[in-house]
């Protein structure tokens, strides 16, 4: 047996064992100490960047790689069964023990090794312990996964993964390969602790590191800049995504008005689409989604339209893409574009409504007052009909806000976003400088945790979805929805649910919590049917929130707040 234990700080083995140590301690201070020592020990900047990116729960730094790896549970399941020579039932048993595939794999490998040793058959471990993995080798394999598209890509992906798994030196490495790929690190290391560790490792203050991270949205890059004393270079630049400024919520026009210290304020329609940054630099265009994925290729007409803006050589716009033809169309049409079901502007036309200008010809504008940014924005000539400015007016009373809210709803929009005209743009922060007003009873963003086949004409498709909200690190079920999706969406969802299946119970499937839904409902009631203690009354799916991750779903606290806020308890 060739066992190569590379004791280098930059090996993937060291990364994995460090993650295990971080997970094992409940103390935040100890986690920071372990991680900062590890980061200091990394010799190569490239490896430092990769390690911090993985630790932040990402496979790639935002904006640097066009395609995700697109490795789902089903692909991993096949590869794991093959390399560990396990049956489905055996793998399911291990999976159920941990609820995460990475830990299941680690345990499975460890047991197989023990068994092989005990029986004198070292065949299994021989294939495992060959040569040790470096951080950059793992990263490059992930890049290869993201590049494998089109026909034959599934078997290519399986080959890459098998290659990776067969080169591990300790079972823990296999676990973290899976955890990084499935975005399930779960080692008790929230982004804040990674930032604290970077600050401590390279003798910087936490606010410096945090600010840099909010602006460049790339914690790996920030770590490298911090180590090299170049944090001041963490600047907003076109073609590199930044975090979005977020809005607070108000329940009524009155309470919204009272949140502002400066009047008049800007009031804008709240468009029901997807948030997008449009970046331009010397003719090159990139469009980023809310979770900072590169979505340029989904909207070729927007890319082409952006190139027609002649006033500036480089700029960054913030705005919303909506489905639109003379009037707003259903959000479902936009989703056809995002799923590449439809690529053309003919059957799923879109419009980009710009509401902010973050960068212009070599200067970041985020520190400037909104009024000045908007003035600069409105000097651009945006190509109609694919681009336009958001509807925006100065308002100075709750009555004006209420009137504009009704107007916005009547036109088919969602409500209003009201903004302080003196406020800077604060990436990644939800504050009271932007406040949204939606409708009386809110919607909830939830995640699907289980699903069932339908009945009657929906017998062959998965059309019933059980969904949950977050409660700390747990998920709590609040309801089951049957309505709101079109037949086409249900057909598509059936495939997605199959690929996310963790446990197949025949008519019902437990699925990996990944698909986020926005659900509307009539009321919330107390119920012992679900483990949350609450149930939504008449839930209906408003839309599938492809743009949101499970980290962004609503909390049980919000459910409680809405319940308590209902005037008539059901
Ligand atoms: P929510 O997704 O409910 O938290 O609402 C905030 C979202 O509203 C933002 O992230 C944008 O995607 C969207 N939005 C629509 N219109 C506007 C607008 N005029 N200004 C700011 N955000 C807007």
């Amino acid at each position: 047996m060739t066992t190569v234990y590379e004791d280098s700080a930059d090996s993937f083995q060291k990364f994995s064992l460090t993650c295990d140590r971080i997970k094992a301690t409940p103390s935040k201070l100890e986690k920071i100490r372990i991680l900062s020592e590890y980061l200091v020990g990394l010799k190569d900047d490239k490896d430092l960047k990769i390690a911090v990116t993985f630790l932040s729960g990402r496979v790639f730094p935002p904006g640097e790689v066009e395609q995700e790896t697109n490795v789902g549970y089903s692909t991993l399941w096949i590869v794991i069964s093959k390399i560990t020579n396990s049956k489905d039932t055996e793998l399911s048993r291990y999976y159920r023990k941990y609820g995460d595939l990475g830990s299941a794999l680690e345990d499975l490998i460890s047991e197989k090794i023990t068994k092989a040793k005990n029986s004198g058959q070292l065949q299994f471990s021989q294939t495992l312990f060959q040569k040790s993995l470096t951080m950059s080798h793992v990263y490059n394999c992930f890049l290869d996964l993201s590049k494998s598209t089109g026909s034959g890509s599934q078997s290519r992906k399986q080959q890459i993964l098998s290659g990776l798994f067969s080169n591990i030196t300790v079972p823990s490495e296999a676990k973290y390969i899976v955890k990084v790929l499935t975005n399930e690190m779960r080692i008790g290391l929230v982004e804040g602790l990674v930032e604290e560790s970077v600050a401590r490792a390279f003798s910087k203050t936490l606010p410096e590191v945090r600010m840099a991270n909010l602006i460049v949205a790339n914690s790996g890059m920030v770590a490298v800049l911090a180590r090299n004393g170049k944090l001041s270079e963490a600047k907003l630049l076109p073609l590199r995504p930044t975090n979005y400024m977020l809005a607070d919520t108000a329940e009524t026009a009155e309470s919204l008005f009272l949140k502002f210290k400066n009047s008049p304020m800007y009031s804008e329609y709240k468009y029901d689409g997807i948030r997008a940054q449009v970046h331009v630099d010397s003719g090159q265009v990139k469009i980023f989604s809310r979770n900072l994925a590169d979505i340029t290729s989904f909207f070729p007409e927007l890319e082409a339209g952006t190139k027609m803006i002649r006033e500036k050589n480089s700029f960054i716009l913030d705005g919303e893409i909506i489905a639109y033809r003379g009037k707003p169309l259903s959000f479902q049409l936009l989703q056809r574009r995002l799923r590449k079901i439809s690529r053309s502007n003919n059957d799923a036309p879109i419009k980009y409504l710009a509401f902010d200008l973050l960068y212009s010809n070599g200067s970041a504008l985020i520190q400037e007052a909104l009024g000045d940014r908007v003035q600069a924005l409105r000097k651009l000539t945006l190509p109609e009909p694919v681009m336009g400015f958001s509807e925006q007016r100065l308002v100075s009373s709750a009555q004006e806000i209420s009137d504009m809210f009704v107007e916005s709803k009547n036109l088919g929009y969602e409500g209003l976003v009201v903004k302080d005209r003196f406020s800077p743009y604060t990436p990644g922060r939800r504050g009271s400088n932007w406040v949204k007003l939606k409708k009386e009873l809110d919607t909830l963003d939830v995640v699907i945790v289980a699903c069932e086949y339908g009945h009657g004409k929906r017998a062959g498709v998965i059309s019933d979805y059980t969904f949950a909200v977050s409660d700390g690190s747990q998920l709590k079920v609040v309801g089951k929805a049957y309505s709101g999706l079109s037949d086409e969406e249900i057909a598509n969802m059936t495939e997605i649910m199959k690929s996310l299946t963790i446990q197949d119970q025949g008519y019902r499937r437990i699925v990996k919590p990944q698909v986020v839904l926005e659900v509307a409902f009539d009321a919330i009631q107390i119920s012992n049917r679900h483990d949350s203690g609450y149930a939504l009354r008449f839930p209906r799916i408003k839309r599938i929130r492809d743009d949101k991750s499970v980290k962004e779903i609503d909390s049980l606290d919000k459910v409680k707040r809405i319940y308590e806020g209902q005037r008539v308890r059901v």
Side-chain angles (χ1 to χ4, degrees), residues 233-402:
E233 288 179 19
K235 288 203 183 104
L236 182 67
L237 281 180
L239 309 182
R240 273 191 346 200
T242 186
N243 283 299
Y244 286 91
M245 179 159 176
L246 303 168
D248 202 353
T249 313
E251 303 300 326
T252 62
E254 195 81 29
S255 64
L256 183 145
F257 184 70
L258 292 174
K259 281 183 184 248
F260 286 84
K261 46 184 191 303
N262 299 309
S263 177
M265 47 266 214
Y266 284 125
S267 179
E268 299 179 20
Y269 290 162
K270 184 174 190 304
Y271 300 101
D272 194 6
I274 55 167
R275 185 87 176 260
Q277 279 165 28
V278 171
H279 289 236
V280 178
D281 194 15
S282 313
Q284 201 191 339
V285 177
K286 275 196 182 208
I287 306 167
F288 296 107
S289 70
R290 185 183 153 121
N291 49 20
L292 313 180
D294 186 337
I295 51 170
T296 321
S297 67
F298 295 84
F299 301 106
E301 72 276 44
L302 182 54
E303 184 183 6
T306 305
K307 285 186 180 158
M308 289 162 63
I309 303 173
R310 298 272 169 238
E311 287 88 347
K312 304 212 184 279
N313 191 30
S314 63
F315 56 88
I316 304 175
L317 302 174
D318 187 6
E320 188 93 351
I321 301 175
I322 59 171
Y324 189 89
R325 185 185 278 130
K327 61 178 179 61
L329 304 172
S330 100
F331 187 82
Q332 262 108 36
L333 280 178
L334 201 55
Q335 277 174 326
R336 291 173 66 91
R337 296 291 294 272
L338 286 172
R339 298 220 187 85
K340 299 209 170 173
I341 299 170
S342 170
R343 299 199 106 204
S344 87
N345 205 20
N346 291 332
D347 48 345
I350 56 124
K351 184 172 185 108
Y352 181 74
L353 290 150
F355 49 71
D356 218 318
L357 182 65
L358 312 188
Y359 186 95
S360 158
N361 276 1
S363 317
L365 304 180
I366 53 178
Q367 308 280 12
E368 317 252 317
L370 173 64
D372 296 336
R373 301 199 305 273
V374 165
Q375 222 178 10
L377 170 72
R378 291 187 179 247
K379 284 194 183 131
L380 302 179
T381 317
L382 301 184
E384 289 283 349
V386 74
M387 294 177 98
F389 298 112
S390 69
E391 177 68 24
Q392 185 191 55
R393 267 172 249 158
L394 281 170
V395 290
S396 44
S397 70
Q399 186 59 49
E400 278 179 83
I401 293 169
S402 177

